Amino acid sequence: MSLDPSFVGRTYPPTAPYQVGREKIREFATAIGATDPAHHDPEAARALGHADVVAPPTFPVVVTMAASRQIVDDPELGVDYRRVVHGDQRFAYTRPVVAGDELVCVNTIEDVTTRSGHGFLTTRTDVRTTAGEPVVAVWSKIVVRKEA
């Protein structure tokens, strides 16, 4: 099944709030080798003007990967997740993610194309606080490989 291009422009409902925890930030930072004290020590983060520890720039993947299930699990779109490979990811920040944030995601399908039988799906996830403050926009491209 190929991806349905009529989905371009479709926006999904906001996700349930995700509570950003200090330990989650520390664990993520440790896992990726981010040693900046602002990712681990609240006092170091406060010295930089933040309320608590600051997440590394790629941390929103934790939140957006879960949110992307809305798209991947949509049977009408036609994503065969067994055939998916990651193509691209980029972030545009309004402000850093900080421990204590409550974040919601809104997914939008920005592009659906087919090349050489492979489906290319580009999504944008707008990450905001529960109060509506923009935090980061995350674009992701996946490739759904054609069947052999």
Side-chain angles (χ1 to χ4, degrees), residues 15 19 28 39 48 50 53-54 57 67 79 88 98 111 119 148:
T15 61
Q19 178 73 43
F28 186 87
H39 301 315
L48 296 172
H50 303 289
V53 295
V54 179
V79 175
D88 189 31
V98 177
D111 191 38

Side-chain angles (χ1 to χ4, degrees), residues 1-146:
M1 174 191 275
S2 61
L3 298 175
D4 184 346
S6 72
F7 275 62
V8 172
R10 180 174 289 193
T11 297
Y12 291 79
T15 61
Y18 176 90
Q19 178 73 43
V20 178
R22 183 184 290 165
E23 289 308 312
K24 286 290 185 189
I25 290 175
R26 286 176 173 156
E27 290 167 358
F28 186 87
T30 298
I32 65 167
T35 59
D36 187 313
H39 301 315
H40 301 274
D41 178 13
E43 291 307 315
R46 286 186 191 106
L48 296 172
H50 303 289
D52 207 322
V53 295
V54 179
T58 55
F59 180 85
V61 167
V62 171
V63 183
T64 61
M65 281 295 291
S68 72
R69 297 305 315 176
Q70 289 179 315
I71 295 169
V72 171
D73 291 344
D74 188 333
E76 296 175 21
L77 177 58
V79 175
D80 180 351
Y81 202 71
R82 297 169 300 172
R83 309 190 80 67
V84 167
V85 293
H86 188 262
D88 189 31
Q89 190 103 37
R90 66 186 170 95
F91 304 84
Y93 273 90
T94 303
R95 70 151 176 89
V97 173
V98 177
D101 282 342
E102 280 190 278
L103 304 175
V104 294
C105 299
V106 174
N107 292 307
T108 301
I109 296 177
E110 288 203 338
D111 191 38
V112 174
T113 58
T114 301
R115 286 182 249 149
S116 301
H118 304 292
F120 291 79
L121 173 67
T122 302
T123 61
R124 175 186 169 132
T125 304
D126 291 303
V127 182
R128 298 177 176 271
T129 65
T130 53
E133 176 189 6
V135 177
V136 60
V138 181
W139 286 267
S140 180
K141 181 177 287 188
I142 62 171
V143 180
V144 182
R145 295 174 293 120
K146 69 180 177 182

